[in-house]
Amino acid sequence: ALSGGFDSRLILAALLAADETPRLHVYGGPDDEDVQVAQMIDRALHLGLKSIDKRALDRELATGAAPDLAGNLHFFDGLPIDGILDDGSDRSTRLNQSRDGALALNGGGGEVLRNFFYLSDRRFSAAEIVKVFYSGFDPAAVRSPEALQAYRDYMADTIEAEVGATGQLSRQHVELIYPLIRGRYWTSRNNSMAARCGHFLTPLLDPQIVKAAARLRMGWKDYGRFEGKLIGRLSPA
């Protein structure tokens, strides 16, 4: 799956460096930026990128009947949140990406190579991280102030337990929050579901990459500088 981002481009560069010729696709309509960037890459590399517009595919698959809610719920295991309303394009594309025993690769998790939280290079407490990144809702939506504080305390305790540090966390410990908490939350469900359709992998969340990425200088991770250099080294074209 090639998009306009760093991560799928890095995987593509690694595959080409290993003399592999992947089958590429991009999701979206002709005016989508992801599609335009992916097509520009493909024009340079001549790999036969296939553009898939799910909206057009839904119209093609439409039968006039209501979505199969029970079947969709079972197939998507409740993930993603709109999966239960799938008209057929999401299910068919997920099955298609692993057809004939192919290994479907996804760039999810490559954020470990960049400054995901976009914080300055200093220490932060777990409570500060929760206040900024895990409180994106109106506090009035929580009926009890005690429940809100309990949620924030729970999230802060979880962060400290997962990164193995307390108090003012080093910038390296903060970097581990993405792969150990945020990344784990969505990849564990999504990868499990995708693997039922065939072979599937998010290679950039490999533990060795996660450990090495946490040690990178933060300045290298801003604006994707380091990841861009990796892509250039692997695939100069």
Side-chain angles (χ1 to χ4, degrees):
L2 183 65
S3 74
F6 282 98
D7 305 326
S8 59
R9 184 65 185 89
L10 176 57
I11 293 175
L12 173 58
L15 289 168
L16 295 176
D19 294 323
E20 296 288 346
T21 305
R23 188 173 71 209
L24 298 179
H25 65 269
V26 60
Y27 294 128
D31 296 329
D32 290 348
E33 290 183 350
D34 266 3
V35 173
Q36 293 173 358
V37 173
Q39 289 174 336
M40 182 174 64
I41 294 169
D42 189 54
R43 281 195 293 272
L45 299 176
H46 309 292
L47 294 172
L49 172 78
K50 184 177 181 180
S51 298
I52 302 171
D53 187 342
K54 289 188 177 182
R55 291 165 297 187
L57 186 56
D58 272 333
R59 292 192 295 269
E60 200 177 297
L61 297 171
T63 62
D68 177 12
L69 301 185
N72 286 344
L73 181 63
H74 176 75
F75 179 84
F76 290 105
D77 192 27
L79 185 83
I81 56 173
D82 58 348
I84 195 171
L85 300 175
D86 178 43
D87 282 324
S89 65
D90 202 356
R91 186 190 299 215
S92 65
T93 51
R94 287 177 184 272
L95 290 168
N96 189 55
Q97 69 180 359
S98 299
R99 75 176 190 271
D100 303 326
L103 170 62
L105 297 174
N106 186 287
E111 291 88 347
V112 297
L113 295 167
R114 301 192 300 282
N115 185 353
F116 174 78
F117 290 112
Y118 244 89
L119 295 167
S120 56
D121 191 4
R122 63 177 179 82
R123 292 177 175 268
F124 295 89
S125 69
E128 288 173 321
I129 300 294
V130 172
K131 185 176 181 180
V132 175
F133 290 98
Y134 293 97
S135 300
F137 52 86
D138 184 347
V142 182
R143 296 178 182 178
S144 164
E146 291 80 12
L148 180 60
Q149 189 57 50
Y151 158 76
R152 288 174 171 162
D153 290 343
Y154 174 80
M155 289 298 298
D157 290 345
T158 298
I159 287 173
E160 291 182 339
E162 291 298 325
V163 304
T166 59
Q168 291 292 306
L169 306 179
S170 71
R171 198 62 184 81
Q172 286 69 37
H173 283 117
V174 171
E175 287 300 279
L176 290 174
I177 296 172
Y178 176 83
L180 296 183
I181 298 176
R182 185 181 176 93
R184 179 184 294 173
Y185 167 75
W186 72 265
T187 55
S188 60
R189 293 286 303 282
N190 184 69
N191 290 18
S192 173
M193 182 186 71
R196 298 173 204 173
C197 302
H199 304 302
F200 181 86
L201 192 64
T202 45
L204 298 182
L205 271 180
D206 177 88
Q208 296 301 318
I209 294 178
V210 169
K211 284 193 281 188
R215 299 188 183 103
L216 291 175
R217 294 181 185 177
M218 291 309 304
W220 293 1
K221 302 176 84 168
D222 289 341
Y223 306 109
R225 291 189 182 103
F226 177 77
E227 201 168 357
K229 289 288 187 182
L230 280 181
I231 293 168
R233 284 287 188 93
L234 288 166
S235 180

